[in-house]
Amino acid sequence: MQDAYWRADFGMPGFMMPGFAAIHAEETRAHEHWTQSLVQENHSVESWVCDLSTGLFCIGEKARARHGLAGEASGLLDLVRSYAKEDRQTILSILEEATSTSSSFCYCTTIMLGAGPASRIFCVGSSDVRAAKGRLQGVFAFPQLNG
């Protein structure tokens, strides 16, 4: 994973550039710090959850609209399809690793939908794969439009 911007204080998601991703085994401090940074930077934040037994992501209304999705539940490929092509493999690798061991992770990419304008998206999440039914959960964050 690209760790160029990673610092001992867990970095600031606002400084993450598209293509950045990080994963750390059960690093709850990282997850809390990343999420707090997004809130402090006045990003629009919306939670999501993925049940690993079905592979379906349940995401909020704003995130569905930004991803160009109609239904309440979507698969991983439905989400990643809207991401910049050059970032897709990195994001898939992050999420694959997160499903194999409990961890905290983050990534930043650009959403590209048709001829519309590109928009940046941050994802901060954690996984719990020790439970009988594993799950991923976290937040999507978007910079506020027009300020």
Side-chain angles (χ1 to χ4, degrees):
M1 300 317 123
Q2 296 179 8
D3 234 4
Y5 300 103
W6 188 255
R7 298 188 321 232
D9 67 355
F10 303 115
M12 293 285 285
F15 300 132
M16 288 172 23
M17 299 303 295
F20 175 84
I23 187 164
H24 297 278
E26 298 188 84
E27 184 56 77
T28 56
R29 291 181 309 145
H31 182 268
E32 292 166 2
H33 180 81
W34 292 329
T35 302
Q36 181 181 16
S37 295
L38 291 167
V39 170
Q40 288 174 343
E41 292 175 14
N42 201 30
H43 286 74
S44 178
V45 176
E46 199 168 60
S47 63
W48 58 267
V49 64
C50 175
D51 179 347
L52 294 180
S53 67
T54 64
L56 293 177
F57 283 76
C58 292
I59 63 176
E61 185 178 326
K62 291 177 188 175
R64 281 195 314 272
R66 292 281 181 107
H67 283 88
L69 302 171
E72 289 185 23
S74 303
L76 174 61
L77 294 180
D78 297 323
L79 295 174
V80 175
R81 187 175 295 128
S82 64
Y83 296 164
K85 288 181 183 180
E86 62 271 17
D87 298 338
R88 291 178 188 168
Q89 189 56 51
T90 299
I91 293 166
L92 288 171
S93 295
I94 283 279
L95 295 174
E96 180 180 355
E97 189 174 340
T99 62
S100 66
T101 184
S102 295
S103 55
S104 295
F105 57 89
C106 68
Y107 64 81
C108 178
T109 189
T110 303
I111 291 183
M112 314 286 281
L113 294 177
S119 63
R120 187 172 293 183
I121 180 175
F122 299 98
C123 178
V124 173
S126 62
S127 62
D128 182 2
V129 295
R130 294 173 290 193
K133 293 182 179 180
R135 76 188 259 156
L136 301 175
Q137 61 186 13
V139 297
F140 286 121
F142 307 94
Q144 293 289 338
L145 298 177
N146 299 327

